[in-house]
Amino acid sequence: MFRAFFIYLSKAAWARRMVTKWDFAWRAASRFISGEKLEDAIQVVKKLNEKGINATLDHLGEHTSNPDQARQAAQDIIDMLDAIQASGVRSNVSLKLSQIGMGIDARLCAENLARILEHAKSLANFVRIDMEDASCVDTTLGLYREMVLERGFRGVGLVIQAYLYRSQEDVARLMEMGTRIRLCKGAYKESPEIAYPKKRDVDANFDLLARMLMDGAAKNGAPTLSEDGRIPPLPVMATHDIQRVRNAQHYAQQLGLPKGAIEFQMLHGIRRDLQEQLAVAGYPVRIYVPFGTEWYPYYTRRLAERPANLWFFISNFFRR
Ligand code: FDA
């Protein structure tokens, strides 16, 4: 109920208009958002890099509603790649296809994506396509295949959500293409016809998909994280769930995968202790560092994941 309500709020224009006017809401949200400007985010990445942790930068924004905005969003991502290069930080980028036009016209989105991938290629950097709600999965996989198989881009990866029943089949097909996959549980509200409603089933499917990804990595020669920290290994476990992390570590050891052949990813502001522990233990760790003014839907999804975050939000209201 709680989760469903906050996911509904994340899409409600009236709630967004109201909440983003409140100063205290930004104060609460800024636990998860590195700042409003690209320079703020680069500073956060520098601090992570000092601790041996890499990053993926996300310029917040989704469901862009006109072609000019979509082209501008693509340009902003290109500028972000340039800023990473200029500052020399160990970071790649993440993007949402709805940010660069998927909901307007798939061709416009493909052209924007190709422009970004061409630029990333010229800088030897990597682009991760985030996965949005289930209505976007087929288009996202289709655009990914077009970029790799028809246009020859290599520096691009995808996200798979463990709550979807279809994910085992998707992973099996994507592993044949040697896809770099970030595995997460899934952050949207989906119907029980297409997604596991119970947390324990999502967890079990996460473990199973994680094993499939690691088997695939072993078959593909277990490539390790690039020297500059930008190109991730094939399997990425994006979770703060300690049991999922331990299960993945255990299976990787059984398979004899080197530590550098599996990456752990977490969100900025969540489980810093675990992030640092894994980095000290020698695993590649990457933090998803979002920035920008379009923080409302991202932040509301973080509230949906954890009721306790709501108390933090409310306590900021009383500290005004
Ligand atoms: P779970 O929800 O079971 O939480 C485990 C523990 O982590 C909690 O007990 C708590 O300690 C901590 N925790 C989790 N969420 C928290 C929060 N919001 N605030 C404070 N503590 C929290 N989803 C998606 O659909 N598409 C995508 O592309 C991505 N991309 C992505 C990238 C990265 C790097 C991460 C880490 C996650 C995503 N996600 C995502 C989000 C993902 O699907 C999921 O919603 C969250 O990671 C929460 O799930 P956990 O795996 O952490 O487990």
Side-chain angles (χ1 to χ4, degrees):
M1 261 304 266
F2 178 91
R3 183 168 181 271
F5 178 63
F6 275 88
I7 291 177
Y8 156 74
L9 283 185
S10 74
K11 294 189 210 142
W14 64 268
R16 181 195 191 114
R17 275 195 302 276
M18 190 171 76
V19 172
T20 51
K21 279 195 205 124
W22 299 335
D23 281 354
F24 79 91
W26 164 247
R27 249 199 337 269
S30 61
R31 171 185 163 194
F32 301 105
I33 320 288
S34 60
E36 293 200 333
K37 300 204 180 76
L38 176 56
E39 303 86 84
D40 304 330
I42 296 281
Q43 289 314 315
V44 167
V45 175
K46 281 187 179 159
K47 292 210 177 82
L48 288 168
N49 288 173
E50 281 162 17
K51 293 184 193 157
I53 295 176
N54 303 314
T56 186
L57 275 179
D58 169 45
H59 185 214
L60 290 163
E62 48 199 86
H63 298 292
T64 305
S65 57
N66 74 58
D68 286 342
Q69 274 175 6
R71 279 188 207 99
Q72 184 55 51
Q75 186 56 46
D76 291 343
I77 295 166
I78 289 171
D79 294 346
M80 188 160 84
L81 283 160
D82 283 337
I84 291 172
Q85 189 69 9
S87 59
V89 289
R90 294 169 64 92
S91 181
N92 57 36
V93 305
S94 291
L95 59 79
K96 291 190 172 46
L97 292 182
S98 74
Q99 185 179 16
I100 57 167
M102 181 167 60
I104 306 167
D105 168 14
R107 284 301 90 208
L108 166 77
C109 182
E111 289 323 310
N112 283 336
L113 181 59
R115 198 151 62 93
I116 294 167
L117 294 182
E118 194 60 57
H119 198 72
K121 186 177 167 188
S122 73
L123 300 173
N125 210 328
F126 176 84
V127 174
R128 175 81 61 186
I129 304 173
D130 286 350
M131 191 59 83
E132 299 175 69
D133 66 72
S135 67
C136 304
V137 176
D138 282 325
T139 314
T140 302
L141 296 186
L143 284 170
Y144 169 79
R145 281 197 194 93
E146 176 184 334
M147 294 301 136
V148 174
L149 300 177
E150 290 167 34
R151 306 207 193 196
F153 292 113
R154 301 297 303 150
V156 55
L158 276 179
V159 176
I160 288 287
Q161 296 152 323
Y163 61 18
L164 294 183
Y165 302 141
R166 61 177 287 170
S167 289
Q168 284 183 38
E169 272 176 39
D170 288 336
V171 164
R173 271 197 226 109
L174 290 165
M175 290 318 291
E176 282 167 18
M177 293 171 65
T179 305
R180 291 173 203 275
I181 294 179
R182 172 202 291 157
L183 177 63
C184 67
K185 291 189 187 178
Y188 299 84
K189 172 83 190 117
E190 305 295 359
S191 86
E193 269 97 67
I194 58 166
Y196 294 102
K198 293 204 178 104
K199 181 174 159 43
R200 67 164 183 275
D201 296 327
V202 178
D203 289 349
N205 203 37
F206 186 102
D207 291 344
L208 185 142
L209 294 168
R211 291 195 297 275
M212 285 175 74
L213 293 183
M214 288 184 270
D215 288 340
K219 274 197 207 119
N220 281 288
T224 51
L225 172 74
S226 66
E227 283 274 306
D228 62 7
R230 292 178 183 168
I231 318 283
L234 299 185
V236 169
M237 310 303 151
T239 182
H240 318 90
D241 181 340
I242 185 79
Q243 197 52 51
R244 309 286 74 74
V245 169
R246 296 289 175 247
N247 291 354
Q249 283 177 308
H250 184 67
Y251 192 70
Q253 276 158 13
Q254 272 182 0
L255 275 185
L257 281 184
K259 284 183 176 169
I262 159 178
E263 181 169 280
F264 292 98
Q265 292 192 5
M266 293 182 211
L267 301 177
H268 173 66
I270 303 183
R271 290 300 311 256
R272 289 204 176 96
D273 54 336
L274 185 56
Q275 300 169 11
E276 289 176 21
Q277 265 174 37
L278 286 166
V280 168
Y283 290 97
V285 177
R286 188 177 305 279
I287 303 307
Y288 190 100
V289 178
F291 72 95
T293 51
E294 300 291 309
W295 48 266
Y296 174 79
Y298 178 88
Y299 174 56
T300 326
R301 287 197 293 275
R302 304 292 78 80
L303 287 180
E305 282 157 3
R306 200 157 184 250
N309 291 340
L310 185 60
W311 301 120
F312 186 70
F313 180 82
I314 293 167
S315 68
N316 269 282
F317 170 80
F318 287 109
R319 269 194 264 135
R320 284 186 305 165

